[in-house]
Short mmCIF file of all heavy atoms in Angstrom, two decimals:
data_model
loop_
_atom_site.label_atom_id
_atom_site.label_comp_id
_atom_site.label_asym_id
_atom_site.label_seq_id
_atom_site.Cartn_x
_atom_site.Cartn_y
_atom_site.Cartn_z
N SER A 1 94.48 96.14 110.10
CA SER A 1 95.87 96.03 110.54
C SER A 1 96.76 96.92 109.68
O SER A 1 96.34 97.40 108.63
CB SER A 1 96.33 94.58 110.46
OG SER A 1 96.47 94.20 109.10
N LEU A 2 97.99 97.08 110.11
CA LEU A 2 98.92 97.84 109.28
C LEU A 2 99.14 97.16 107.94
O LEU A 2 99.37 97.81 106.93
CB LEU A 2 100.26 98.02 110.00
CG LEU A 2 100.26 99.01 111.16
CD1 LEU A 2 101.65 99.14 111.75
CD2 LEU A 2 99.77 100.38 110.71
N LEU A 3 99.08 95.84 107.94
CA LEU A 3 99.19 95.11 106.66
C LEU A 3 98.07 95.52 105.72
O LEU A 3 98.29 95.75 104.53
CB LEU A 3 99.15 93.60 106.91
CG LEU A 3 99.13 92.73 105.65
CD1 LEU A 3 100.38 92.95 104.82
CD2 LEU A 3 98.96 91.27 106.01
N ASP A 4 96.85 95.64 106.23
CA ASP A 4 95.72 96.06 105.39
C ASP A 4 95.97 97.45 104.80
O ASP A 4 95.63 97.70 103.64
CB ASP A 4 94.42 96.10 106.22
CG ASP A 4 94.02 94.72 106.70
OD1 ASP A 4 94.24 93.75 105.95
OD2 ASP A 4 93.51 94.62 107.82
N ILE A 5 96.55 98.34 105.59
CA ILE A 5 96.82 99.69 105.10
C ILE A 5 97.81 99.63 103.93
O ILE A 5 97.63 100.31 102.91
CB ILE A 5 97.36 100.57 106.24
CG1 ILE A 5 96.24 100.80 107.28
CG2 ILE A 5 97.88 101.90 105.71
CD1 ILE A 5 96.71 101.44 108.56
N VAL A 6 98.82 98.80 104.06
CA VAL A 6 99.81 98.67 102.98
C VAL A 6 99.13 98.12 101.73
O VAL A 6 99.29 98.65 100.62
CB VAL A 6 100.97 97.75 103.42
CG1 VAL A 6 101.87 97.40 102.24
CG2 VAL A 6 101.79 98.43 104.51
N VAL A 7 98.33 97.07 101.90
CA VAL A 7 97.68 96.43 100.75
C VAL A 7 96.64 97.37 100.13
O VAL A 7 96.61 97.57 98.91
CB VAL A 7 97.02 95.09 101.19
CG1 VAL A 7 96.14 94.53 100.08
CG2 VAL A 7 98.09 94.09 101.59
N ASN A 8 95.79 97.95 100.95
CA ASN A 8 94.69 98.77 100.43
C ASN A 8 95.16 100.05 99.75
O ASN A 8 94.46 100.60 98.91
CB ASN A 8 93.71 99.11 101.56
CG ASN A 8 92.99 97.88 102.08
OD1 ASN A 8 92.95 96.85 101.42
ND2 ASN A 8 92.44 97.98 103.28
N ASN A 9 96.34 100.50 100.12
CA ASN A 9 96.87 101.71 99.50
C ASN A 9 97.91 101.41 98.43
O ASN A 9 98.59 102.32 97.95
CB ASN A 9 97.45 102.62 100.58
CG ASN A 9 96.36 103.23 101.44
OD1 ASN A 9 95.67 104.14 101.02
ND2 ASN A 9 96.17 102.68 102.63
N GLU A 10 98.01 100.12 98.09
CA GLU A 10 98.91 99.67 97.03
C GLU A 10 100.32 100.21 97.22
O GLU A 10 100.97 100.64 96.28
CB GLU A 10 98.34 100.05 95.66
CG GLU A 10 96.99 99.40 95.41
CD GLU A 10 96.39 99.77 94.08
OE1 GLU A 10 97.10 100.35 93.24
OE2 GLU A 10 95.19 99.48 93.87
N ILE A 11 100.76 100.20 98.50
CA ILE A 11 102.12 100.61 98.81
C ILE A 11 103.06 99.48 98.39
O ILE A 11 102.87 98.33 98.78
CB ILE A 11 102.26 100.94 100.31
CG1 ILE A 11 101.32 102.10 100.68
CG2 ILE A 11 103.71 101.27 100.66
CD1 ILE A 11 101.19 102.36 102.17
N ASP A 12 104.04 99.79 97.58
CA ASP A 12 104.89 98.77 96.98
C ASP A 12 106.07 98.44 97.90
O ASP A 12 107.12 99.06 97.83
CB ASP A 12 105.39 99.26 95.62
CG ASP A 12 106.15 98.15 94.89
OD1 ASP A 12 105.99 96.98 95.26
OD2 ASP A 12 106.90 98.48 93.95
N LEU A 13 105.84 97.47 98.79
CA LEU A 13 106.92 96.97 99.64
C LEU A 13 107.11 95.51 99.25
O LEU A 13 106.36 94.63 99.68
CB LEU A 13 106.54 97.09 101.13
CG LEU A 13 106.34 98.50 101.66
CD1 LEU A 13 105.86 98.46 103.10
CD2 LEU A 13 107.64 99.28 101.57
N GLU A 14 108.08 95.24 98.44
CA GLU A 14 108.26 93.91 97.85
C GLU A 14 108.35 92.84 98.94
O GLU A 14 109.16 92.93 99.85
CB GLU A 14 109.50 93.89 96.98
CG GLU A 14 109.63 92.61 96.19
CD GLU A 14 110.78 92.68 95.21
OE1 GLU A 14 111.11 93.78 94.77
OE2 GLU A 14 111.33 91.62 94.92
N GLY A 15 107.50 91.84 98.84
CA GLY A 15 107.53 90.70 99.75
C GLY A 15 106.84 90.93 101.07
O GLY A 15 106.70 90.01 101.88
N TYR A 16 106.38 92.16 101.31
CA TYR A 16 105.76 92.46 102.59
C TYR A 16 104.43 91.75 102.71
O TYR A 16 103.60 91.79 101.81
CB TYR A 16 105.54 93.98 102.72
CG TYR A 16 105.07 94.40 104.09
CD1 TYR A 16 105.98 94.65 105.10
CD2 TYR A 16 103.72 94.54 104.36
CE1 TYR A 16 105.55 95.03 106.37
CE2 TYR A 16 103.28 94.92 105.62
CZ TYR A 16 104.20 95.17 106.61
OH TYR A 16 103.78 95.54 107.86
N GLY A 17 104.23 91.08 103.83
CA GLY A 17 102.93 90.43 104.08
C GLY A 17 102.70 89.20 103.23
O GLY A 17 101.58 88.94 102.79
N ALA A 18 103.72 88.40 103.05
CA ALA A 18 103.63 87.25 102.15
C ALA A 18 102.53 86.27 102.52
O ALA A 18 101.89 85.68 101.65
CB ALA A 18 104.97 86.53 102.09
N CYS A 19 102.26 86.08 103.80
CA CYS A 19 101.25 85.10 104.21
C CYS A 19 99.87 85.75 104.38
O CYS A 19 98.93 85.08 104.81
CB CYS A 19 101.67 84.38 105.47
SG CYS A 19 101.44 85.33 107.00
N GLU A 20 99.76 87.01 104.05
CA GLU A 20 98.49 87.74 104.11
C GLU A 20 97.89 87.75 105.51
O GLU A 20 96.68 87.69 105.68
CB GLU A 20 97.50 87.20 103.08
CG GLU A 20 98.04 87.33 101.66
CD GLU A 20 97.09 86.78 100.61
OE1 GLU A 20 96.10 86.13 100.97
OE2 GLU A 20 97.37 87.01 99.43
N GLY A 21 98.74 87.80 106.51
CA GLY A 21 98.26 87.95 107.88
C GLY A 21 97.90 86.68 108.60
O GLY A 21 97.24 86.72 109.64
N THR A 22 98.33 85.54 108.10
CA THR A 22 97.98 84.27 108.75
C THR A 22 99.06 83.81 109.73
O THR A 22 99.01 82.66 110.20
CB THR A 22 97.73 83.17 107.71
OG1 THR A 22 98.92 83.00 106.91
CG2 THR A 22 96.56 83.54 106.81
N LEU A 23 99.99 84.68 110.06
CA LEU A 23 101.04 84.40 111.04
C LEU A 23 101.90 83.21 110.66
O LEU A 23 102.23 82.38 111.50
CB LEU A 23 100.42 84.18 112.43
CG LEU A 23 100.33 85.41 113.33
CD1 LEU A 23 99.71 85.05 114.67
CD2 LEU A 23 101.68 86.07 113.52
N THR A 24 102.24 83.11 109.37
CA THR A 24 103.11 82.01 108.94
C THR A 24 104.33 82.52 108.18
O THR A 24 105.01 81.71 107.53
CB THR A 24 102.33 81.01 108.06
OG1 THR A 24 101.73 81.71 106.97
CG2 THR A 24 101.27 80.29 108.87
N CYS A 25 104.58 83.82 108.23
CA CYS A 25 105.83 84.32 107.66
C CYS A 25 106.39 85.30 108.70
O CYS A 25 106.05 85.20 109.85
CB CYS A 25 105.61 84.99 106.30
SG CYS A 25 104.71 86.55 106.31
N SER A 26 107.22 86.17 108.35
CA SER A 26 107.57 87.29 109.24
C SER A 26 107.97 88.47 108.38
O SER A 26 108.69 89.35 108.82
CB SER A 26 108.68 86.90 110.23
OG SER A 26 109.82 86.48 109.53
N THR A 27 107.46 88.44 107.15
CA THR A 27 107.82 89.49 106.20
C THR A 27 107.18 90.83 106.53
O THR A 27 107.55 91.85 105.95
CB THR A 27 107.42 89.10 104.76
OG1 THR A 27 106.00 88.91 104.72
CG2 THR A 27 108.12 87.83 104.32
N CYS A 28 106.25 90.84 107.47
CA CYS A 28 105.62 92.10 107.87
C CYS A 28 106.28 92.68 109.12
O CYS A 28 105.72 93.55 109.77
CB CYS A 28 104.13 91.89 108.11
SG CYS A 28 103.80 90.74 109.45
N HIS A 29 107.48 92.19 109.43
CA HIS A 29 108.22 92.64 110.61
C HIS A 29 108.46 94.14 110.55
O HIS A 29 108.93 94.68 109.56
CB HIS A 29 109.56 91.88 110.66
CG HIS A 29 110.45 92.30 111.77
ND1 HIS A 29 111.82 92.24 111.67
CD2 HIS A 29 110.20 92.79 113.01
CE1 HIS A 29 112.37 92.67 112.79
NE2 HIS A 29 111.40 93.00 113.62
N LEU A 30 108.12 94.80 111.65
CA LEU A 30 108.36 96.24 111.79
C LEU A 30 109.17 96.48 113.05
O LEU A 30 108.97 95.80 114.06
CB LEU A 30 107.02 96.98 111.94
CG LEU A 30 106.00 96.83 110.82
CD1 LEU A 30 104.69 97.48 111.25
CD2 LEU A 30 106.53 97.45 109.54
N ILE A 31 110.06 97.43 112.99
CA ILE A 31 110.78 97.87 114.18
C ILE A 31 110.29 99.27 114.49
O ILE A 31 110.47 100.20 113.70
CB ILE A 31 112.31 97.85 113.95
CG1 ILE A 31 112.76 96.41 113.66
CG2 ILE A 31 113.03 98.40 115.18
CD1 ILE A 31 114.22 96.29 113.26
N LEU A 32 109.63 99.40 115.63
CA LEU A 32 108.98 100.65 115.99
C LEU A 32 109.87 101.46 116.94
O LEU A 32 110.69 100.90 117.67
CB LEU A 32 107.66 100.36 116.68
CG LEU A 32 106.67 99.49 115.88
CD1 LEU A 32 105.50 99.10 116.75
CD2 LEU A 32 106.20 100.22 114.65
N LYS A 33 109.64 102.77 116.94
CA LYS A 33 110.26 103.59 117.98
C LYS A 33 109.64 103.19 119.31
O LYS A 33 108.45 102.85 119.35
CB LYS A 33 109.97 105.08 117.73
CG LYS A 33 110.65 105.65 116.53
CD LYS A 33 110.31 107.14 116.48
CE LYS A 33 110.51 107.70 115.11
NZ LYS A 33 109.94 109.05 115.00
N LYS A 34 110.41 103.29 120.37
CA LYS A 34 109.92 102.87 121.69
C LYS A 34 108.61 103.59 122.05
O LYS A 34 107.67 102.95 122.53
CB LYS A 34 111.00 103.18 122.75
CG LYS A 34 110.57 102.93 124.17
CD LYS A 34 110.87 101.52 124.60
CE LYS A 34 110.69 101.33 126.10
NZ LYS A 34 109.43 100.73 126.44
N GLU A 35 108.54 104.89 121.78
CA GLU A 35 107.32 105.61 122.15
C GLU A 35 106.11 105.14 121.33
O GLU A 35 104.99 105.10 121.84
CB GLU A 35 107.50 107.12 122.02
CG GLU A 35 107.90 107.60 120.64
CD GLU A 35 109.41 107.79 120.49
OE1 GLU A 35 110.18 107.01 121.09
OE2 GLU A 35 109.81 108.70 119.75
N ASP A 36 106.33 104.74 120.09
CA ASP A 36 105.23 104.22 119.29
C ASP A 36 104.84 102.81 119.76
O ASP A 36 103.65 102.48 119.85
CB ASP A 36 105.61 104.19 117.81
CG ASP A 36 105.79 105.60 117.26
OD1 ASP A 36 105.13 106.53 117.76
OD2 ASP A 36 106.60 105.77 116.33
N TYR A 37 105.84 101.99 120.05
CA TYR A 37 105.58 100.63 120.54
C TYR A 37 104.72 100.69 121.81
O TYR A 37 103.75 99.95 121.95
CB TYR A 37 106.91 99.94 120.83
CG TYR A 37 106.78 98.51 121.27
CD1 TYR A 37 106.76 97.47 120.36
CD2 TYR A 37 106.68 98.19 122.63
CE1 TYR A 37 106.65 96.15 120.76
CE2 TYR A 37 106.56 96.88 123.05
CZ TYR A 37 106.54 95.87 122.11
OH TYR A 37 106.42 94.56 122.53
N ASP A 38 105.08 101.59 122.71
CA ASP A 38 104.36 101.70 123.98
C ASP A 38 102.94 102.22 123.82
O ASP A 38 102.10 102.01 124.69
CB ASP A 38 105.13 102.62 124.94
CG ASP A 38 106.43 101.99 125.42
OD1 ASP A 38 106.57 100.75 125.32
OD2 ASP A 38 107.30 102.74 125.89
N ARG A 39 102.65 102.90 122.73
CA ARG A 39 101.31 103.45 122.49
C ARG A 39 100.35 102.44 121.88
O ARG A 39 99.14 102.70 121.81
CB ARG A 39 101.39 104.67 121.57
CG ARG A 39 101.96 105.87 122.26
CD ARG A 39 101.94 107.12 121.42
NE ARG A 39 101.33 106.97 120.10
CZ ARG A 39 101.65 107.69 119.05
NH1 ARG A 39 102.56 108.62 119.16
NH2 ARG A 39 101.06 107.52 117.90
N LEU A 40 100.85 101.31 121.40
CA LEU A 40 99.96 100.34 120.76
C LEU A 40 98.97 99.79 121.79
O LEU A 40 99.32 99.57 122.95
CB LEU A 40 100.78 99.19 120.16
CG LEU A 40 101.67 99.58 118.99
CD1 LEU A 40 102.49 98.39 118.54
CD2 LEU A 40 100.83 100.13 117.83
N PRO A 41 97.74 99.56 121.37
CA PRO A 41 96.70 99.13 122.31
C PRO A 41 96.85 97.70 122.79
O PRO A 41 96.24 97.31 123.78
CB PRO A 41 95.40 99.31 121.51
CG PRO A 41 95.82 99.25 120.09
CD PRO A 41 97.22 99.80 120.03
N SER A 42 97.64 96.90 122.10
CA SER A 42 97.78 95.50 122.52
C SER A 42 99.24 95.08 122.46
O SER A 42 100.03 95.64 121.69
CB SER A 42 96.95 94.59 121.63
OG SER A 42 97.43 94.65 120.30
N LYS A 43 99.55 94.11 123.28
CA LYS A 43 100.89 93.52 123.28
C LYS A 43 100.88 92.29 122.39
O LYS A 43 99.82 91.71 122.11
CB LYS A 43 101.30 93.13 124.71
CG LYS A 43 101.38 94.32 125.65
CD LYS A 43 102.42 95.32 125.18
CE LYS A 43 102.42 96.58 126.03
NZ LYS A 43 103.01 97.71 125.32
N PRO A 44 102.04 91.85 121.91
CA PRO A 44 102.06 90.68 121.04
C PRO A 44 101.57 89.41 121.75
O PRO A 44 101.86 89.21 122.93
CB PRO A 44 103.54 90.53 120.64
CG PRO A 44 104.30 91.53 121.42
CD PRO A 44 103.37 92.44 122.10
N THR A 45 100.82 88.60 121.03
CA THR A 45 100.37 87.31 121.55
C THR A 45 101.52 86.33 121.52
O THR A 45 102.56 86.58 120.89
CB THR A 45 99.23 86.75 120.69
OG1 THR A 45 99.75 86.54 119.36
CG2 THR A 45 98.04 87.71 120.64
N ASP A 46 101.34 85.18 122.16
CA ASP A 46 102.37 84.14 122.11
C ASP A 46 102.64 83.70 120.67
O ASP A 46 103.78 83.45 120.29
CB ASP A 46 101.94 82.92 122.94
CG ASP A 46 101.97 83.21 124.43
OD1 ASP A 46 102.60 84.21 124.85
OD2 ASP A 46 101.36 82.43 125.19
N GLU A 47 101.58 83.63 119.86
CA GLU A 47 101.74 83.21 118.46
C GLU A 47 102.57 84.24 117.69
O GLU A 47 103.42 83.88 116.88
CB GLU A 47 100.36 83.03 117.80
CG GLU A 47 99.56 81.86 118.32
CD GLU A 47 98.85 82.14 119.64
OE1 GLU A 47 98.81 83.30 120.09
OE2 GLU A 47 98.34 81.17 120.24
N GLU A 48 102.30 85.52 117.93
CA GLU A 48 103.09 86.55 117.26
C GLU A 48 104.54 86.48 117.73
O GLU A 48 105.47 86.58 116.92
CB GLU A 48 102.52 87.95 117.53
CG GLU A 48 103.30 89.05 116.81
CD GLU A 48 102.75 90.44 117.05
OE1 GLU A 48 101.66 90.59 117.66
OE2 GLU A 48 103.43 91.40 116.64
N MET A 49 104.76 86.29 119.02
CA MET A 49 106.12 86.21 119.54
C MET A 49 106.88 85.02 118.91
O MET A 49 108.06 85.14 118.58
CB MET A 49 106.11 86.06 121.07
CG MET A 49 105.63 87.30 121.79
SD MET A 49 106.62 88.77 121.47
CE MET A 49 108.16 88.31 122.22
N ASP A 50 106.19 83.90 118.74
CA ASP A 50 106.84 82.74 118.12
C ASP A 50 107.30 83.07 116.71
O ASP A 50 108.40 82.69 116.30
CB ASP A 50 105.87 81.54 118.07
CG ASP A 50 105.66 80.93 119.45
OD1 ASP A 50 106.44 81.24 120.37
OD2 ASP A 50 104.72 80.13 119.58
N MET A 51 106.47 83.78 115.95
CA MET A 51 106.84 84.13 114.58
C MET A 51 107.89 85.23 114.58
O MET A 51 108.81 85.21 113.75
CB MET A 51 105.59 84.55 113.79
CG MET A 51 105.82 84.67 112.30
SD MET A 51 106.59 83.22 111.52
CE MET A 51 105.38 81.95 111.87
N LEU A 52 107.81 86.15 115.52
CA LEU A 52 108.83 87.21 115.61
C LEU A 52 110.21 86.61 115.86
O LEU A 52 111.22 87.15 115.41
CB LEU A 52 108.48 88.19 116.73
CG LEU A 52 107.56 89.35 116.35
CD1 LEU A 52 107.12 90.10 117.60
CD2 LEU A 52 108.22 90.29 115.35
N ASP A 53 110.26 85.49 116.60
CA ASP A 53 111.54 84.85 116.87
C ASP A 53 112.27 84.48 115.57
O ASP A 53 113.49 84.31 115.57
CB ASP A 53 111.35 83.59 117.72
CG ASP A 53 111.12 83.92 119.18
OD1 ASP A 53 111.45 85.04 119.61
OD2 ASP A 53 110.59 83.04 119.90
N LEU A 54 111.52 84.33 114.49
CA LEU A 54 112.12 83.97 113.20
C LEU A 54 112.46 85.20 112.36
O LEU A 54 113.05 85.07 111.28
CB LEU A 54 111.15 83.08 112.41
CG LEU A 54 110.69 81.81 113.12
CD1 LEU A 54 109.68 81.06 112.26
CD2 LEU A 54 111.88 80.91 113.45
N ALA A 55 112.10 86.38 112.84
CA ALA A 55 112.30 87.61 112.05
C ALA A 55 113.77 88.03 112.08
O ALA A 55 114.46 87.87 113.09
CB ALA A 55 111.43 88.73 112.60
N TYR A 56 114.20 88.56 110.97
CA TYR A 56 115.56 89.09 110.86
C TYR A 56 115.71 90.35 111.70
O TYR A 56 114.84 91.21 111.68
CB TYR A 56 115.86 89.40 109.38
CG TYR A 56 117.20 90.04 109.16
CD1 TYR A 56 118.36 89.28 109.21
CD2 TYR A 56 117.30 91.40 108.92
CE1 TYR A 56 119.60 89.87 109.02
CE2 TYR A 56 118.54 92.00 108.72
CZ TYR A 56 119.68 91.22 108.78
OH TYR A 56 120.90 91.81 108.60
N ASP A 57 116.78 90.43 112.47
CA ASP A 57 117.12 91.64 113.21
C ASP A 57 116.07 92.01 114.26
O ASP A 57 115.70 93.17 114.43
CB ASP A 57 117.30 92.80 112.22
CG ASP A 57 118.47 93.69 112.62
OD1 ASP A 57 119.20 93.33 113.57
OD2 ASP A 57 118.65 94.75 111.99
N LEU A 58 115.60 91.02 114.99
CA LEU A 58 114.58 91.21 116.02
C LEU A 58 115.06 92.21 117.08
O LEU A 58 116.21 92.17 117.51
CB LEU A 58 114.28 89.87 116.67
CG LEU A 58 113.20 89.84 117.75
CD1 LEU A 58 111.84 90.15 117.14
CD2 LEU A 58 113.18 88.47 118.41
N THR A 59 114.16 93.09 117.51
CA THR A 59 114.49 94.05 118.56
C THR A 59 113.41 94.00 119.65
O THR A 59 112.38 93.33 119.48
CB THR A 59 114.53 95.50 118.02
OG1 THR A 59 113.19 95.94 117.79
CG2 THR A 59 115.35 95.59 116.74
N ASP A 60 113.62 94.73 120.73
CA ASP A 60 112.63 94.78 121.82
C ASP A 60 111.36 95.50 121.40
O ASP A 60 110.34 95.40 122.08
CB ASP A 60 113.22 95.50 123.04
CG ASP A 60 114.27 94.65 123.74
OD1 ASP A 60 114.31 93.43 123.51
OD2 ASP A 60 115.05 95.23 124.51
N THR A 61 111.42 96.25 120.31
CA THR A 61 110.23 96.98 119.85
C THR A 61 109.75 96.47 118.50
O THR A 61 109.12 97.19 117.74
CB THR A 61 110.51 98.49 119.79
OG1 THR A 61 111.59 98.72 118.88
CG2 THR A 61 110.83 99.05 121.16
N SER A 62 110.04 95.22 118.22
CA SER A 62 109.57 94.60 116.98
C SER A 62 108.12 94.17 117.11
O SER A 62 107.70 93.71 118.17
CB SER A 62 110.42 93.36 116.64
OG SER A 62 111.71 93.71 116.25
N ARG A 63 107.38 94.29 116.03
CA ARG A 63 106.02 93.75 115.93
C ARG A 63 105.81 93.25 114.51
O ARG A 63 106.54 93.61 113.61
CB ARG A 63 104.96 94.83 116.22
CG ARG A 63 104.88 95.30 117.65
CD ARG A 63 104.43 94.23 118.65
NE ARG A 63 103.16 93.61 118.30
CZ ARG A 63 101.98 94.01 118.77
NH1 ARG A 63 101.91 95.02 119.60
NH2 ARG A 63 100.86 93.40 118.43
N LEU A 64 104.78 92.44 114.35
CA LEU A 64 104.36 92.02 113.02
C LEU A 64 103.22 92.93 112.59
O LEU A 64 102.21 93.04 113.30
CB LEU A 64 103.94 90.56 113.02
CG LEU A 64 105.06 89.56 113.31
CD1 LEU A 64 104.50 88.14 113.34
CD2 LEU A 64 106.19 89.67 112.28
N GLY A 65 103.40 93.57 111.45
CA GLY A 65 102.43 94.56 110.99
C GLY A 65 101.02 94.01 110.84
O GLY A 65 100.05 94.72 111.06
N CYS A 66 100.92 92.73 110.51
CA CYS A 66 99.58 92.15 110.32
C CYS A 66 98.85 91.95 111.64
O CYS A 66 97.65 91.69 111.65
CB CYS A 66 99.66 90.83 109.56
SG CYS A 66 100.44 89.49 110.48
N GLN A 67 99.55 92.10 112.75
CA GLN A 67 98.93 91.89 114.05
C GLN A 67 98.65 93.20 114.79
O GLN A 67 98.12 93.19 115.89
CB GLN A 67 99.83 91.00 114.92
CG GLN A 67 100.12 89.65 114.28
CD GLN A 67 98.84 88.87 113.98
OE1 GLN A 67 98.03 88.62 114.88
NE2 GLN A 67 98.64 88.52 112.72
N ILE A 68 99.02 94.31 114.18
CA ILE A 68 98.77 95.61 114.79
C ILE A 68 97.45 96.14 114.26
O ILE A 68 97.32 96.42 113.07
CB ILE A 68 99.91 96.60 114.50
CG1 ILE A 68 101.22 96.07 115.10
CG2 ILE A 68 99.57 97.98 115.06
CD1 ILE A 68 102.43 96.90 114.74
N LEU A 69 96.46 96.22 115.15
CA LEU A 69 95.12 96.63 114.71
C LEU A 69 94.86 98.07 115.06
O LEU A 69 95.43 98.63 115.95
CB LEU A 69 94.06 95.74 115.37
CG LEU A 69 94.25 94.26 115.14
CD1 LEU A 69 93.21 93.47 115.91
CD2 LEU A 69 94.17 93.92 113.66
FE1 LIG B 101 102.84 86.97 107.50
FE2 LIG B 101 102.31 89.03 109.07
S1 LIG B 101 101.96 88.84 106.97
S2 LIG B 101 103.08 87.11 109.64
#
C-alpha cells in the first residue's frame, strides 16, 4: 500500500498511518488529483468510506493511503 511505501522508505510524515493500516484512524488521508483517483485499480470499500467520513477536509477524490494497493 502507499502506507507501506511511506514506512519502508522512512518518509517523515508526522502522525501518518497511526493505526498501521487497520482502518481505525484516518491519518493516512490523501487527496488525489481526479486523473490519479480515476486510475486506481480499486474503489474504496464501505469500511474505507466509513473511516473517510471522519477525515478532515474530505473531498470526492479522497482515499486512505493504507488502502491503496
Ligand atoms: Fe489508519 Fe490508514 S493508517 S486508516
Side-chain angles (χ1 to χ4, degrees):
S1 71
L2 286 183
L3 175 62
D4 295 324
I5 293 170
V6 170
V7 170
N8 294 342
N9 290 285
E10 300 179 11
I11 299 170
D12 187 18
L13 296 175
E14 188 173 332
Y16 188 86
C19 78
E20 300 179 350
T22 59
L23 267 180
T24 55
C25 69
S26 58
T27 60
C28 63
H29 176 210
L30 302 172
I31 298 173
L32 304 171
K33 292 183 200 169
K34 175 89 169 100
E35 58 264 35
D36 293 331
Y37 183 89
D38 290 341
R39 287 185 2 208
L40 293 176
S42 63
K43 298 299 175 202
T45 62
D46 289 344
E47 291 80 10
E48 182 180 352
M49 291 300 294
D50 287 346
M51 191 52 61
L52 273 171
D53 282 341
L54 304 177
Y56 176 76
D57 220 7
L58 182 67
T59 75
D60 288 342
T61 60
S62 290
R63 291 294 306 266
L64 294 178
C66 69
Q67 302 302 304
I68 298 175
L69 304 176

